[in-house]
Amino acid sequence: MRYQVIARRWRPKTFGEVVGQPHVVETLMNAIQKGRVAHAYLFSGPRGVGKTSVARILAKALNCLDGPTPYPCCRCGPCLEIAQGTFIDVLEMDAASNRGIEEVRGLRENVRYAPAQGRYKVYIIDEVHMLTEAAFNALLKTLEEPPAHVVFIMATTEAKRIPTTILSRCQHFHFRPLPSGEVKRLLAKIAEAEGLDMDEEALDLLARASGGSLRDGEMLLEQVVTSAQGRVSRDQVAQLLGLVEWEVVEETYKAILEGHDLRVLKLFQEQVVGRGFDVYGFLEELAGTARARFLEALGKGEEAFRHQTLLDLVLRLMERVRRHPLPEVLTEMELVRLASLSHLVPLDELVRRLEALEVSEGPGVSPPQKKERPGGRPRPSPSRREEDQDLARRLRDAASQEQPSLTPILDKCKIYLEDGYMVLESRYKLGTFERARLEDEATLDFFRRFLKGMGEEARVKLKDNGERVWEEEEEEAEGDSILEDPRVQRAMVLFRGRVRKAKTQKEG
Ligand SMILES: [Zn+2]
């Protein structure tokens, strides 16, 4: 006997064997039981979830010698012939290759004749959305006055493309994509029956790669069977699927969490792009890792926010990568950004910090010595606040004109004037690239010109979420007495900085 592929051999033969579509199966079985079979059905849903299999089972149920029965015997002549596709009263048509009016006309002619052997003539039209308009119109005429002995079963992956005139004459069943856990369970069962020894992770990966389509999963398993020697590992399956190794994914995830943006970049460029791996597949794996970590953390009652946020961001990135003309460049950029978000703060913490800022200072800093002064420092006068807001707004406007790539970084900063400085204070730790972008000469030059244009004699100071302070240097030092200035001392405490050069500013 000829070798039959797994998908074929494991195709469900009875309603009981159909997986993941209980709502469809139960309704159909009830209808057969009660003799209330419709004249036309539309099965819609993603590919490889059992639409044609169910159509054939329904054809058997109607034509089985024991039938009509929800439990076709699978042994009688009609049952066997339907399974082989040779039964004269069950006609399968693929609308993807026979789109035209001729076929539908032929079908209309044919419909009028009583079944030759069976009880019902069953027409299974696959990919029915592919029919031409004329063909649909011809089909509609048949559906309007169907002979009692005819059942139409139309299957489609795109129900939206079916004319409403047709839809209104069909019983419509929505087939669902299979949950990955269900696909995994079935693939494990098949693998075992095929004598295949597979790692749990290898099965996980196959199930995920099948994207809810059991048939895709079975076809992948077929490839594994063909190439496997000994126990099948996750990496073997990854290789087969053209996916990068587990370690690369894990290492990238770790580097993102730890904020090593350059390492992330290097891994992606060398291990993914450089070796010709599919970017989307890599991101899928990365999302899988984030999800696993998230669930793990939840399970242990640990803080899961960072994994959750990363998962969310990677999923969003996947969406964009699909449509982007340069997926590699986009991914590269976004992965670096993810790494720069590594110091992700839980939302409630963020809210708490923002509230603390609101009540304490005004523009700028929460000083460590705040509690020493009862009553706290006076809130800044509204005019001061407004001035700062105005400054920030103007700076952003100017940047969007002259330095557009700077604006997203500025959006992450509070901008205010303080003690002769225009301070840009980031709300969280900036990534290497963001910091470099802020500190480069062209940017500083832009800030200087901006300040000059505003008539401000201020220098520039960058504060990276309290961790690191950078300030524009003066050309020359003019003595150490400035260090005794209380404002300078306060600034040094606040910014955890030190004075490298000092210069007395002219009054006024
Ligand atoms: Zn039978």
Side-chain angles (χ1 to χ4, degrees), residues 168-440:
S168 65
R169 290 185 164 77
C170 296
Q171 246 186 57
H172 190 170
F173 287 102
H174 299 268
F175 284 60
R176 297 173 188 147
L178 270 61
S180 135
E182 189 81 327
V183 176
K184 184 185 165 190
R185 193 180 61 77
L186 284 157
L187 292 181
K189 195 171 128 192
I190 297 173
E192 202 192 330
E194 299 285 328
L196 204 62
D197 195 8
M198 287 185 80
D199 279 351
E200 193 75 7
E201 291 85 12
L203 277 168
D204 273 331
L205 191 58
L206 268 190
R208 267 217 306 279
S210 72
S213 159
L214 182 57
R215 188 170 61 219
D216 284 4
E218 288 169 336
M219 278 154 78
L220 290 170
L221 192 64
E222 185 82 47
Q223 289 184 49
V224 175
V225 172
T226 320
S227 63
Q229 286 169 337
R231 193 172 175 81
V232 181
S233 70
R234 188 243 168 237
D235 278 351
Q236 275 172 270
V237 173
Q239 213 174 14
L240 197 78
L241 298 173
L243 293 175
V244 74
E245 296 86 352
W246 199 230
E247 286 112 64
V248 176
V249 180
E250 292 277 296
E251 263 187 68
T252 308
Y253 193 73
K254 188 162 167 258
I256 290 175
L257 277 182
E258 289 170 358
H260 298 309
D261 41 14
L262 288 175
R263 172 137 187 77
V264 172
L265 196 64
K266 194 166 176 279
L267 277 163
F268 180 68
Q269 284 173 344
E270 289 176 6
Q271 300 295 325
V272 183
V273 179
R275 291 168 62 213
F277 285 111
D278 172 48
V279 172
Y280 190 83
F282 169 72
L283 289 175
E284 240 173 3
E285 288 298 279
L286 201 61
T289 302
R291 179 171 176 270
R293 294 293 183 77
F294 168 63
L295 294 176
E296 197 181 301
L298 270 190
K300 289 182 187 164
E302 289 170 5
E303 201 269 296
F305 170 78
R306 292 165 75 196
H307 303 299
Q308 187 187 16
T309 308
L310 280 175
L311 174 59
D312 181 42
L313 294 172
V314 174
L315 290 175
R316 282 171 204 226
L317 175 56
M318 285 166 68
E319 275 288 314
R320 291 170 63 202
V321 160
R322 270 188 195 280
R323 301 184 303 256
H324 204 275
L326 297 169
E328 283 161 15
V329 178
L330 174 70
T331 306
E332 189 173 282
M333 198 175 76
E334 287 298 307
L335 286 180
V336 168
R337 200 170 69 88
L338 285 189
S340 75
L341 291 175
S342 63
H343 289 248
L344 294 167
V345 183
L347 272 180
D348 51 351
E349 170 68 14
L350 208 61
V351 171
R352 200 185 57 74
R353 283 192 197 178
L354 282 172
E355 282 169 356
L357 276 177
E358 288 277 299
V359 295
S360 67
E361 284 303 293
V365 202
S366 328
Q369 68 268 47
K370 181 179 136 201
K371 283 184 184 132
E372 290 163 19
R373 273 174 290 172
R377 256 170 50 173
R379 295 183 69 137
S381 65
S383 65
R384 168 71 185 280
R385 240 173 206 275
E386 277 162 23
E387 268 174 36
D388 282 329
Q389 279 170 3
D390 189 49
L391 176 85
R393 189 178 51 75
R394 282 167 190 259
L395 182 62
R396 288 192 179 106
D397 286 352
S400 64
Q401 296 287 323
E402 278 186 54
Q403 304 264 337
S405 67
L406 203 58
T407 48
I409 308 177
L410 292 181
D411 286 343
K412 293 168 184 168
C413 294
K414 289 171 62 160
I415 299 161
Y416 51 94
L417 286 170
E418 190 177 67
D419 298 333
Y421 286 99
M422 178 176 76
V423 185
L424 284 85
E425 183 186 356
S426 72
R427 295 191 172 89
Y428 57 83
K429 186 173 174 290
L430 291 173
T432 315
F433 284 3
E434 289 172 317
R435 213 160 52 213
R437 181 76 179 83
L438 272 184
E439 288 175 13
D440 78 22

Side-chain angles (χ1 to χ4, degrees), residues 60 63-67 69 71-80:
K60 284 197 283 191
N63 282 310
C64 175
L65 291 183
D66 293 346
T69 166
Y71 307 98
C73 73
C74 297
R75 286 188 303 269
C76 69
C79 277
L80 290 173

